[in-house]
Amino acid sequence: MNNTFLYGTDHLTIGICLDIASGKTQGIIGPEAAEAIRTSKEEVTKIVHSQQPVYGVNTGFGPMCDTHISEKDTSQLQINILKSHSVGVGKPIPAEIAKIMMITKVHALAQGYSGISPQTLERIIWFIDHDVIPLVPEKGSVGASGDLAPLSHLFLPLIGLGQVFHKGAQLSSAHVLEEYGLVPLALGPKEGLALINGTQFILAFAVKAVQRLGNSLDIADLIGAMSLEGLTGSKRPFDKRLHQLRPYKGTKLVAQRLSALLEGSEIGTSHINCSRVQDPYSIRCMPQVHGASRNAWLHLKELTEIELNSVTDNPIIFSAEDTISGGNFHGQPLAMALDYVTVAAAELGNIADRRCYLMNEGRYDLPKLLIADAGLNSGLMIPQYTTAALVTENKTLCFPASADSVPTSLGQEDHVSMGSISGRKLHQVIDNLEYIQAIELLYASQAIEFRRPLQSAPVIEACHQLVRQHVPPITEDRIFSDDINQLHQLICDGTLLALAEETAILNHINLTKDEEFSIY
């Protein structure tokens, strides 16, 4: 992969966006984009001189769209909009999300339809490259006329206002600019509006959600296979022929992955001729349930990539004589998908909780509560209470924010997407899901102990050994939250998945996903 990305001309993917945010790839303005930016800026200058009314260039905003602004006040208008629209409340969003917002905004503006100046874009790129991250409150956007409040906070530092995170500290932007010998920018006509009118808050949460949920989907298959082994379940329901008869992309992929994970297991072959006819749904229907969540993920990924390469501000400047006040800033396309994927993420936790409950029941030659001396010890009785609580919390977060709309701007903006809420809720659900998966990993690893001396398949054994390096087998009661937090760390920092993938490669096991499931 090329380590340089050309804003405004290259195709931006989720993976490349995340690589720019992490410093693996550098985003720059190339000659083609530079020319388009310069031309668009000149067209806005013509509009100002012509006195032709164009929204946000020489008119007021929202319900004041019919109010004329004089040529001498067009720059002050842009500064005022950044100040007046900075009304966010609540905790700051994660620095990575704010950085993704800047990256995606530069790419949208660099396409040359927004009238932004080259100097303004170069300053935003400077913020990205030097890891100077504006403080953006998490609440206050309704997701149309774009993400006005969070984007206003994001770009206050351009004019020397607001707060930033830099080198581990929260500082005033004025202090950081002075430290680097920079002065605040004087915004030109339309620049303030171009900066704050767009979907980059919603989009940044979608970008990160695609990455996080993609990892959770892989983890769901891996830990689900471990649970199956602990429960001596059958891999027959993952037969390729079965899923060719109902060929959903996600379902076929999950069936293939589960089959590969379980290939060569001594535990699996030890009960081929047992009397059990069918496994419970939480074991047998993993391809259908995990696969449905993968299908939803695919849809969100597709829409997110379209949005990454779109121009979402307003008005759009084709030329001084050809401007369109449209609705590309409206967040509904992503809002509905984010709500749908919130359900998909919650369902991964729901089925994982069912497997935890199943392992606790004392069926299939497992001891009740997964401990040999139950009674004196409560064993793994109570961690399933936590999964039940998290599953229920996730259900309450599944109400679609995009199903609601509250009129704003004195009725001028009479239908809004609420997509910012959709994006934040999805991440709350993924937070809970990662803890549910950590608890299922605790259960599955303990259940496998009762199948010894039989060995599972190579990837599952490697993951089981990794768990045992951090969490010993359970022989008596202890503070299980410590174990849960250890396993949660292995999931969230990528250690568990990295080991699974490395082991699969070494053992010539095909766990690879086709290109459609890649974020690049």
Side-chain angles (χ1 to χ4, degrees), residues 179-459:
E179 180 185 335
Y180 283 93
L182 300 173
V183 297
L185 296 180
L187 298 179
K190 194 184 178 293
E191 288 202 275
L193 181 61
L195 289 169
I196 73 170
N197 208 337
T199 60
Q200 283 74 34
F201 184 86
I202 300 171
L203 178 56
F205 276 94
V207 165
K208 192 61 183 174
V210 170
Q211 181 199 41
R212 292 185 68 197
L213 186 56
N215 290 337
S216 294
L217 285 160
D218 287 347
I219 286 288
D221 297 342
L222 175 60
I223 300 177
M226 295 178 72
S227 295
L228 180 146
E229 288 286 81
L231 289 159
T232 58
S234 172
K235 72 171 189 175
R236 287 276 289 166
F238 315 140
D239 189 302
K240 182 178 180 179
R241 296 171 299 167
L242 180 66
H243 299 286
Q244 291 295 350
L245 300 177
R246 198 188 188 204
Y248 292 108
K249 292 175 183 177
T251 303
K252 289 195 297 180
L253 178 67
V254 173
Q256 181 270 321
R257 286 171 58 81
L258 289 169
S259 293
L261 285 166
L262 295 164
E263 186 64 34
S265 167
E266 291 180 359
I267 296 173
T269 56
S270 70
H271 58 88
I272 285 177
N273 297 315
C274 71
S275 60
R276 198 191 313 174
V277 177
Q278 294 185 144
D279 292 325
Y281 288 2
S282 61
I283 299 296
R284 187 179 5 140
C285 299
M286 281 191 281
Q288 290 79 9
V289 178
H290 294 189
S293 293
R294 280 192 183 271
N295 291 334
W297 178 89
L298 270 178
H299 187 213
L300 177 62
K301 171 182 169 283
E302 175 194 356
L303 298 184
T304 299
E305 193 162 318
I306 291 171
E307 195 80 347
L308 278 170
N309 295 283
S310 298
V311 178
T312 58
D313 66 329
N314 178 64
I316 300 299
I317 309 296
F318 292 102
S319 72
E321 298 77 28
D322 188 7
T323 66
I324 299 178
S325 283
N328 278 10
F329 52 73
H330 204 293
Q332 196 79 349
L334 281 184
M336 293 180 71
L338 287 163
D339 284 333
Y340 167 33
V341 172
T342 299
V343 175
E347 278 304 291
L348 287 179
N350 205 352
I351 195 170
D353 166 73
R354 295 297 80 214
R355 291 191 290 263
C356 292
Y357 190 94
L358 191 59
M359 284 182 275
N360 251 355
E361 282 190 308
R363 298 166 68 181
Y364 312 133
D365 299 319
L366 290 174
K368 280 186 178 180
L369 309 178
L370 289 177
I371 195 164
D373 191 12
L376 176 62
N377 294 287
S378 294
L380 290 179
M381 180 196 302
I382 303 301
Q384 191 267 327
Y385 284 42
T386 303
T387 62
L390 294 172
V391 163
T392 299
E393 184 173 314
N394 279 352
K395 290 175 184 175
T396 69
L397 291 166
C398 282
F399 180 85
S402 61
D404 189 27
S405 179
V406 177
T408 57
S409 196
L410 305 184
Q412 177 76 1
E413 297 161 11
D414 56 356
H415 182 280
V416 297
S417 76
M418 300 299 180
S420 61
I421 300 168
S422 305
R424 291 192 296 107
K425 287 199 301 100
L426 173 53
H427 281 270
Q428 290 177 267
V429 169
I430 296 173
D431 288 342
N432 289 338
L433 170 60
E434 288 167 345
Y435 277 110
I436 294 167
Q437 291 181 321
I439 293 170
E440 186 187 0
L441 182 57
L442 179 67
Y443 277 73
S445 300
Q446 180 70 1
I448 286 173
E449 297 292 342
F450 295 99
R451 306 306 176 192
R452 298 306 189 203
L454 296 175
Q455 296 286 296
S456 184
V459 175

Side-chain angles (χ1 to χ4, degrees), residues 21-93:
S22 66
K24 296 176 184 175
T25 295
Q26 183 176 21
I28 62 172
I29 302 288
E32 184 180 341
E35 177 62 20
I37 293 161
R38 183 189 62 79
T39 300
S40 180
K41 183 63 179 171
E42 288 175 354
E43 295 302 307
V44 170
T45 302
K46 292 178 187 176
I47 293 169
V48 174
H49 292 328
S50 73
Q51 300 294 312
Q52 173 191 350
V54 174
Y55 176 74
V57 177
N58 49 22
T59 76
F61 304 113
M64 284 86 73
C65 61
D66 296 325
T67 303
H68 177 73
I69 304 298
S70 68
E71 184 173 340
K72 70 180 180 63
D73 288 332
T74 53
S75 292
Q76 185 63 44
L77 178 70
Q78 306 306 314
I79 294 172
N80 287 351
I81 194 175
L82 282 185
K83 292 178 180 178
S84 66
H85 287 49
S86 294
V87 294
V89 298
K91 298 179 294 184
I93 63 173

